[in-house]
């Protein structure tokens, strides 16, 4: 069954020139792009996107980081797209959790600067796609 997920190439991924690399991996996996846009987000959008982390010690830094430069937002579609992209991304900590062969495992070093975001459940995907691409 086809589903959709919200993927971000975060500002660190854009500044490091990894947008093409991330898109290539998504496409090689067999997933397709339903929407894609380069944009710089305001604080309100970033805070809504990461609302579940509000109150955690890293929340302020995370919002600063996400709003600090252009990012690429995408809606990615395909069979089991939500877990499939999470598999491509690798675990949150690029060294302790993400394994080589994943985006974070291959290119990341720090937890905050872990290059990509992917929705973690159908409920998150629906909420995040509405937030980032309300017209879809
Ligand atoms: P996920 O992106 O793998 O779903 P979440 O736990 O939802 O991970 O965390 C959201 C984002 O917040 C992470 O991708 C990372 O950028 C940042 N983050 C998570 N935990 C920490 C931390 O302990 N320190 C700094 N940043 C963190």
């Amino acid at each position: 069954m086809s589903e959709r997920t919200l993927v971000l190439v975060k500002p660190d991924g854009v500044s490091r020139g990894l947008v093409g690399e991330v898109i290539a991996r998504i496409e090689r996996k067999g997933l397709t792009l339903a929407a894609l846009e380069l944009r710089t987000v305001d604080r309100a959008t970033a805070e809504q996107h990461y609302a579940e982390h509000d109150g955690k010690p890293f929340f302020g830094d995370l919002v600063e980081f996400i709003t600090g430069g252009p990012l690429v937002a995408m809606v990615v579609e395909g069979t089991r797209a939500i877990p499939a992209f999470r598999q491509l991304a690798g675990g949150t900590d690029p060294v302790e959790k993400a394994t080589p062969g994943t985006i974070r495992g291959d290119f990341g070093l720090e937890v905050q600067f872990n290059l990509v975001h992917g929705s973690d459940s159908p409920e998150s995907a629906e909420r995040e796609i509405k937030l980032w691409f309300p017209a879809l």
Side-chain angles (χ1 to χ4, degrees):
M1 198 190 70
S2 186
E3 63 184 11
R4 300 196 302 184
T5 187
L6 189 278
V7 171
L8 303 177
V9 183
K10 299 181 189 182
D12 55 335
V14 174
S15 67
R16 289 181 53 196
L18 292 171
V19 174
E21 176 72 36
V22 172
I23 292 174
R25 289 176 182 227
I26 288 168
E27 293 184 326
R28 289 203 312 247
K29 182 73 172 172
L31 299 167
T32 56
L33 301 175
L36 182 148
E37 193 181 314
L38 180 78
R39 65 168 91 152
T40 304
V41 282
D42 56 24
R43 174 168 287 273
T45 304
E47 287 178 352
Q48 279 183 66
H49 176 75
Y50 280 127
E52 68 174 291
H53 298 298
D54 196 354
K56 293 185 185 166
F58 59 85
F59 183 69
D61 285 347
L62 182 58
V63 170
E64 285 295 312
F65 159 55
I66 286 294
T67 57
L71 53 73
V72 171
M74 304 176 230
V75 176
V76 171
E77 199 165 57
T79 306
R80 295 189 286 174
I82 296 166
F85 182 76
R86 299 278 294 184
Q87 179 195 43
L88 289 180
T92 306
D93 184 327
V95 173
E96 295 292 333
K97 295 290 181 201
T99 49
T102 64
I103 295 164
R104 289 164 168 174
D106 285 349
F107 302 112
L109 279 175
E110 293 180 55
V111 180
Q112 181 172 288
F113 305 113
N114 61 3
L115 303 160
V116 289
H117 166 84
S119 308
D120 64 5
S121 67
E123 296 72 30
S124 303
E126 192 184 340
R127 184 182 72 80
E128 292 170 2
I129 290 169
K130 271 203 187 108
L131 176 66
W132 289 88
F133 292 97
L136 276 190

